[in-house]
Amino acid sequence: MSYLDVNDLSIEELDSTEYDLSIFACGYEERSIFFPGLFSSASSKVIVFGFSDSAENSDYKLNSAFYSHSSRYKVDPIVLGYHDVNKLFATLLDAVENFVAGPADSFKVLVDYSSMPRLWYSEILNFIKSYDFGVPVVCDFVYSVGEHVKAYTGSQLSDPIVLPGCGGISTYNKETVGIFSLGFNEGGPICLHRKIEPDKTFSLIARPGALEDYTEKAIQCNKVFLESCSMGTVYAPIDSVERSYSILREMFYPYLQVASVVMVPFGPKPHALASILAAMNYPEVACLYSSMGGSGAAVKPTTEVVISRIKKLDASPYIRF
Amino acid sequence: MSLSKSSKIINPFENDNARNSTVEDLPNQFVWTKTFERLISAKNHIVLGARGSGKTAIVKMLSHEYLSKINHPKARSIIRDKKFVGIYVPMRLSWVGELKNAVWLDNAEQELHFKWKLNISCCAAYINTLRSCIDCYFPDAGERAHVERSVSEKIAKAWFDKDNIYTLRQLRDELGELEYKKMLAEQRARVDRSLVVALIGGAFELGLFEPLKRAITITKSFINFPEDVAWAVCLDEAEYLSEFHHVILNSHLRTFADGLVFKITTMPYKHYSLETNTSVPLNRKDDFTYVYLDNLDLVSRGGKKDEFEVLRRFSEDIFDKRVKSSSWADAGITLQTLLGSSYLLSNEETVDQPRMLSLIDKYCNEKTKRRAHDLFGTKKFDDEIGRKLKGAILLRDLRASHRGNARTVAYSGYEMVIRCSDGNPRRLISLLNSFYNASSEGAGFKPVSNTVQDKILRSYSYDEYRRMVYEPNQGEKVQNVLSLIGKYFQDSLHNQKLSTDMRLSFKFNVNNDDVWSVVADAIGLGLVRPIIERSDFDTLPIKSGVFRLSYILSPHFNLLPRRGEEISLSSILSFGVERGVDRRVTSQQMELL
């Protein structure tokens, strides 16, 4: 069974790669065009997904104009609703169907997930995992670290769903272990914790975070959750999906084949990506999410980027005890 | 009070959720009730209860694994006679949530997918039941091993058409592997339509509950069960499913399926349909019975006793069970000594007639004042005015005379804590946990001061209020509407002249489905309680009836935790517009009226 292996990548390595497919997202956040403006490698095909509910947002219009006119891509965003994963899947299927690989080839995909909902990039990974490319697949995920200029306010959650390709098996469901990645909104984790009701709960917080004070800010925002729901907190850097994934594995490994493990990624997207990878690689691990909607504020790029290379392997490189 | 030296748990209230209770501690902490006993039968039941009302504890305890551990004469006899075997199947959000994102499947495929997943879950749950039955009915280790081997081998053949599976553990691992293969194949089928997913785990495609029934039949050939044994599939948390899934389950409630009966838990108003996959819908009395946990059991336990007495006994039972199973078992502590009496609600805290009369003169309307003066000095004063008004008038006086950040004591004491927990076990245990941990000299059982209790209750109440906004679907609307209702009652109690008829309940008189769905959701979350007629406890009111805010919200809104008299919801909505309270919400609702 295929395994998605992750390693950190430098910008230099990324610049020296030519891609068969590049996928961007156009939203209202300023950062949604930061990396595409920086990116200089060749790409045979470019897809930009836009948010249907941001169509009237002035920042979205500026970002959309960037993709359509001022950037080198000259591509109009394909507009999707938040839940429209079917259309996303079909678009990807169309994009790769005519790919003909040479014998020594590999298929290289670039995904800028900075402004993508977790649902979308989970579906992209799910597609990559499920589609038989006939050659090795390399998928580089890029994240522009963001500065949140507006504080989150309490808002209603959407219906919780298991992210695409992130279902867990129910065979070991006598106990549940919850691993909550925490961000700046206290309500989401508490509300989902009440619904999942894990037997054991652990928290994951970014350290270092996007900015110097973000770790402390996340701890303060989630004070009640950490005190009343969580049995322990583990820290993982925002700038390494490889390290975050490894830390997550250490957290859930003792519970494999004993309990159902549920990842709930409310924290920064690199942590969410690590959680999604864990759910896709381990049958007992599921990744559940409930969106709180965007803050509507223009998230500015700090100009740092986090790059991760995900390789689709035929089997897990780890021995399972 | 000192702690005995033992290996028992130290803080008896640390775990407030049955989901997290182990097979070792839940049977010791469980309060055996008439409702629970009623569920041990060969009938289909749908158990309705708000969040924290004990649904999971009840269906978990129905399972053979837990029932066989409880020290109760009836449980021992049921297990010994093998009359009832419960199989606990949690409908965890982590797999139900997956059903909701399978948007690429058409209805027929969705149905197959759901049945397949539920079959696997039921079979995984059955392995726990089988383990419990073998351990319980074969005391000899050799015999146990032999039976396990034979049953596992036969079930493996039936489920997987495989040989060489000799233990329940292997059976479970095989089930897990199959489930994962199926999940991967389902995703792959999205990119390759030629893939036939149905070929994987074909035995689980046969029909809902069929593989489970097959395993039960095999079990019966190794363990002697009486002919009339009821095999109860206890499906927990069906509120996470959709109407589509409920219709599928309903179809199985219509037929007596080879000794299988169903105990399904869900939140009030979250049994989404009575329809089945046939042309005949479910009939409430013939096919199943609703059991409403939030009211029924409290009242049936109390018979004709008043509401508080029922709440008190229930709370005492929970407290005693928890303490007895902890290291504090011999410490001689009681709930009363821990909390002391309530200034507002206790009958022991009396207010003499002259003081009461002066407060009535200060805060009541003319009619009440006249009556009070007429009855002053008689026993009738206490019976007809004093007792009815005491709590409210003292609460009002406390608030009116409160200065700055001076500490308050209104929400404290035995009677207040019991009322605010509202018969909801999780709420009571959470509060007790906070009290236990509140001691400045480390956690433990010491009488908790009134000011500390007040602080904890207010904070808990505010958290309940604050967090409802996050609830999916319509958390914001629930918070807006409850905020308006709470503020209306607060205004009546603290700003208007009082009478002996205090308004603390509302009558639903709004002909609007949206408003009703907000109230129904609030009931499910345990934030609003229907006031149900004693003649029909199992029937939840629909778009009519009288309701009150859950008493846990009383500290936040500075209300007295009593049901009081009712006022129409439309009047509350008008109040919002006229007085500028939550005007935006109210205006929207008024447009609908």
Side-chain angles (χ1 to χ4, degrees), chain B residues 417-464:
Chain B
V417 171
I418 287 175
R419 272 197 181 273
C420 285
S421 63
D422 229 340
N424 183 300
R426 191 181 302 166
R427 234 170 238 164
L428 176 70
I429 296 162
S430 280
L431 285 171
L432 292 173
N433 185 39
S434 300
F435 295 145
Y436 182 90
N437 290 318
S439 168
S440 55
E441 298 155 30
F445 279 111
K446 300 173 192 79
V448 186
S449 75
N450 293 109
T451 51
V452 169
Q453 288 182 51
D454 181 274
K455 197 176 160 195
I456 288 172
L457 269 170
R458 283 179 194 275
S459 156
Y460 193 96
S461 177
Y462 176 59
D463 277 346
E464 288 274 333

Side-chain angles (χ1 to χ4, degrees), chain B residues 167-238:
Chain B
T167 64
L168 295 180
R169 174 79 216 189
Q170 285 175 312
L171 208 54
R172 186 183 297 282
D173 290 344
E174 192 64 31
L175 209 54
E177 211 162 293
L178 182 74
E179 190 181 1
Y180 192 53
K181 262 188 205 159
K182 181 83 163 187
M183 279 168 54
L184 292 178
E186 281 175 339
Q187 292 300 333
R188 272 203 299 273
R190 293 176 70 192
V191 291
D192 180 3
R193 278 284 175 186
S194 65
L195 215 111
V196 185
V197 179
L199 292 176
I200 299 168
F204 297 89
E205 299 265 3
L206 288 177
L208 189 52
F209 306 115
E210 289 304 323
L212 172 67
K213 284 194 241 172
R214 180 77 192 111
I216 290 172
T217 306
I218 291 169
T219 307
K220 282 182 188 168
S221 62
F222 293 94
I223 306 173
N224 288 325
F225 285 95
E227 282 212 351
D228 59 347
V229 55
W231 296 86
V233 181
C234 307
L235 300 170
D236 193 18
E237 298 182 324

Side-chain angles (χ1 to χ4, degrees), chain B residues 484-526:
Chain B
L484 177 63
I485 294 170
K487 284 170 189 166
Y488 174 85
F489 292 140
Q490 188 180 53
D491 182 68
S492 303
L493 181 60
H494 293 282
N495 303 333
Q496 308 300 321
K497 291 292 182 189
L498 297 176
S499 76
T500 46
D501 294 333
M502 267 164 305
R503 285 165 169 177
L504 287 165
S505 309
F506 65 92
K507 183 173 187 170
F508 192 88
N509 67 333
V510 181
N511 185 20
N512 181 274
D513 288 348
D514 290 340
V515 181
W516 170 251
S517 93
V518 170
V519 172
D521 271 12
I523 294 169
L525 295 170

Side-chain angles (χ1 to χ4, degrees), chain A:
Chain A
M1 287 173 205
S2 59
Y3 184 91
L4 301 173
D5 194 38
V6 64
N7 291 105
D8 294 333
L9 202 73
S10 70
I11 191 116
E12 252 178 31
E13 289 166 299
L14 184 129
D15 279 341
S16 61
T17 309
E18 287 189 8
Y19 292 93
D20 298 291
L21 174 65
S22 296
I23 307 167
F24 302 108
C26 174
Y28 59 76
E29 294 182 349
E30 285 180 22
R31 67 169 160 183
S32 69
I33 59 164
F34 174 72
F35 176 75
L38 191 76
F39 178 55
S40 58
S41 301
S43 183
S44 308
K45 194 168 178 63
V46 173
I47 296 173
V48 180
F49 292 116
F51 293 78
S52 61
D53 56 359
S54 295
E56 296 309 312
N57 182 294
S58 56
D59 282 308
Y60 175 81
K61 285 178 183 168
L62 286 173
N63 291 342
S64 179
F66 165 83
Y67 284 109
S68 304
H69 310 297
S70 55
S71 71
R72 67 185 171 104
Y73 310 113
K74 308 285 185 267
V75 171
D76 290 330
I78 297 166
V79 177
L80 298 179
Y82 174 80
H83 287 285
D84 210 353
V85 285
N86 249 356
K87 189 172 173 185
L88 187 147
F89 204 88
T91 307
L92 296 178
L93 202 55
D94 269 356
V96 301
E97 251 174 358
N98 298 324
F99 172 73
V100 184
D105 254 350
S106 64
F107 190 80
K108 296 189 190 73
V109 191
L110 178 123
V111 181
D112 176 6
Y113 64 114
S114 317
S115 291
M116 272 186 202
R118 287 152 178 77
L119 190 65
W120 292 6
Y121 60 89
S122 177
E123 185 68 305
I124 292 172
L125 262 181
N126 183 35
F127 174 82
I128 287 164
K129 192 182 171 197
S130 306
Y131 190 80
D132 184 4
F133 290 85
V135 288
V137 181
V138 168
C139 189
D140 292 341
F141 269 69
V142 182
Y143 174 73
S144 295
V145 179
E147 187 180 338
H148 294 264
V149 288
K150 188 179 152 191
Y152 275 109
T153 50
S155 60
Q156 189 178 295
L157 290 165
S158 66
D159 217 8
I161 54 164
V162 171
L163 292 174
C166 293
I169 57 171
S170 55
T171 320
Y172 304 101
N173 67 2
K174 213 172 161 187
E175 273 193 77
T176 306
V177 174
I179 300 179
F180 287 71
S181 150
L182 304 175
F184 297 149
N185 198 318
E186 71 149 336
I190 292 176
C191 184
L192 274 202
H193 187 269
R194 280 179 159 192
K195 291 183 185 300
I196 299 167
E197 300 177 339
D199 298 272
K200 291 187 174 69
T201 303
F202 301 101
S203 307
L204 185 76
I205 288 180
R207 187 172 70 191
L211 294 174
E212 192 63 32
D213 59 340
Y214 274 18
T215 302
E216 193 50 39
K217 199 172 159 185
I219 292 171
Q220 283 310 314
C221 286
N222 294 286
K223 196 167 176 278
V224 177
F225 182 86
L226 294 170
E227 283 173 3
S228 60
C229 306
S230 179
M231 293 168 65
T233 307
V234 175
Y235 298 90
I238 193 177
D239 53 8
S240 170
V241 177
E242 181 184 346
R243 181 82 190 113
S244 301
Y245 177 73
S246 170
I247 288 169
L248 280 174
R249 278 184 65 235
E250 284 176 36
M251 289 167 82
F252 66 70
Y253 204 86
Y255 301 102
L256 294 177
Q257 294 196 321
V258 179
S260 293
V261 179
V262 185
M263 304 273 181
V264 188
F266 279 109
K269 284 178 178 168
H271 285 187
L273 180 60
S275 303
I276 289 166
L277 287 169
M280 289 190 175
N281 285 337
Y282 289 88
E284 301 90 335
V285 182
C287 190
L288 191 78
Y289 188 64
S290 181
S291 168
M292 311 202 77
S295 65
V299 179
K300 297 178 191 171
T302 63
T303 73
E304 297 291 325
V305 285
V306 179
I307 311 169
S308 324
R309 173 156 289 178
I310 295 167
K311 285 184 189 158
K312 185 175 160 185
L313 309 179
D314 291 337
S316 169
Y318 304 103
I319 297 167
R320 195 159 160 176
F321 297 102

